Amino acid sequence: MRRMYPLLSAVLLAVLLAGCGSGSNTNGASDAPPAFPSASPSLGIETASDSGGGPSAEPSASDAEPSPQDPGNGAEAGLKAVAGETVEYLRERDMVSLGSLIDPERGLRFSPYPHVNAETDLVFKPDALPTFKDSATLNWGTADGSGEPIELSFRDYYEKYVYNSDFADAPNVNVNKLVGQGNAVFNVPDVYPGSSYVEYHFPGTEENGGMDWQSLVLVFLPSEDDWKLVGIVHGQWTI
């Protein structure tokens, strides 16, 4: 009987092992991998490429550098440059250099107020600009409020209606837009169609209710690839 014990033990062990193997293959709870949906490992890369985010994407029009010929940047920059040159000549009272910027056909108009008077404003060609040594009294128009004629030498007119403040250091510089406006209608676009202008503006003081503001407006016309000075307009509060 004892001899049969090893044989019976071997048979029982074989039965037990067979039963365990069959259960594992039936439910797959431990050895089988989880049944996730298959996915391409390159899916995420393809999605990024389809969205245009790759390095080979062409730049859009909004990302392109602005053209130097664009009126919004290049032309305006050129206008501000020539206006800056003009205001420096006015600061230095350099009429010879100023003459090189004046339109040779239209000349340079001096307007004591924002409303340009095409009948009474004085206009000078580049080679006929007055000098500060000229003592002759000229009629520059009509004074606001009093209606009296503005009869001054060039020097006196210059100091009252051209460079009566240091406009080269004005805190506000505006292109084709006026900050300083009073009762006088600014009619430069009507007198000079197609022109552009640059305003150098000092705001008024609080103690004077802001009414002591001052502006120097330089008017230019395009000439080929340049700008030519055609007007110097003085701005101030008018009645």
Side-chain angles (χ1 to χ4, degrees), residues 134-194:
D134 293 335
S135 59
T137 299
L138 303 175
N139 189 331
W140 302 89
T142 303
D144 176 66
S146 68
E148 296 293 325
I150 302 174
E151 296 181 340
L152 299 169
S153 67
F154 178 69
R155 176 188 292 273
D156 291 340
Y157 177 86
Y158 190 95
E159 293 176 349
K160 186 173 183 179
Y161 292 105
V162 177
Y163 212 81
N164 60 315
S165 296
D166 192 5
F167 290 108
D169 284 334
N172 298 325
V173 179
N174 311 295
V175 177
N176 290 330
K177 180 181 70 174
L178 287 185
V179 172
Q181 298 189 48
N183 295 329
V185 177
F186 182 71
N187 62 339
V188 163
D190 297 326
V191 177
Y192 292 104

Side-chain angles (χ1 to χ4, degrees), residues 3 21 26 28 40 50-51 79 95 105-107 114 118 122 129 133 139 159 179 181 187 194 226 232 234:
R3 294 177 181 177
T26 299
S40 169
D50 292 342
S51 68
L79 177 63
M95 295 296 105
E105 300 298 326
R106 292 179 174 264
L122 297 183
L129 273 177
K133 295 181 178 180
N139 189 331
E159 293 176 349
V179 172
Q181 298 189 48
N187 62 339
D226 202 358
I232 295 179
H234 179 256

Side-chain angles (χ1 to χ4, degrees), residues 207-221:
E207 56 267 28
N208 289 302
M211 297 176 65
D212 55 340
W213 60 269
Q214 300 285 335
S215 286
L216 172 69
V217 182
L218 305 176
V219 185
F220 298 89
L221 280 172

Side-chain angles (χ1 to χ4, degrees), residues 44-59:
I45 298 176
E46 291 174 358
T47 301
S49 176
D50 292 342
S51 68
S56 62
E58 292 293 331

Side-chain angles (χ1 to χ4, degrees), residues 17-32:
L17 290 173
C20 291
S22 175
S24 176
N25 291 336
T26 299
N27 59 33
S30 61
D31 296 335

Side-chain angles (χ1 to χ4, degrees), residues 7-126:
L7 179 60
L8 289 174
S9 298
V11 171
L12 289 174
L13 180 60
V15 171
L16 290 173
L17 290 173
C20 291
S22 175
S24 176
N25 291 336
T26 299
N27 59 33
S30 61
D31 296 335
F36 294 126
S38 62
S40 169
S42 63
L43 182 61
I45 298 176
E46 291 174 358
T47 301
S49 176
D50 292 342
S51 68
S56 62
E58 292 293 331
S60 65
S62 61
D63 295 332
E65 291 294 325
S67 167
Q69 301 303 321
D70 189 305
N73 52 69
E76 181 174 310
L79 177 63
K80 291 183 74 171
V82 72
E85 188 178 356
T86 302
V87 78
E88 284 294 336
Y89 291 152
L90 293 174
R91 169 192 260 177
E92 299 299 326
R93 300 192 175 198
D94 186 351
M95 295 296 105
V96 174
S97 297
L98 184 71
S100 66
L101 303 178
I102 298 173
D103 188 301
E105 300 298 326
R106 292 179 174 264
L108 175 61
R109 179 188 302 275
F110 289 88
S111 301
Y113 302 108
H115 188 80
V116 174
N117 191 320
E119 297 182 359
T120 62
D121 290 342
L122 297 183
V123 180
F124 300 93
K125 294 293 181 67

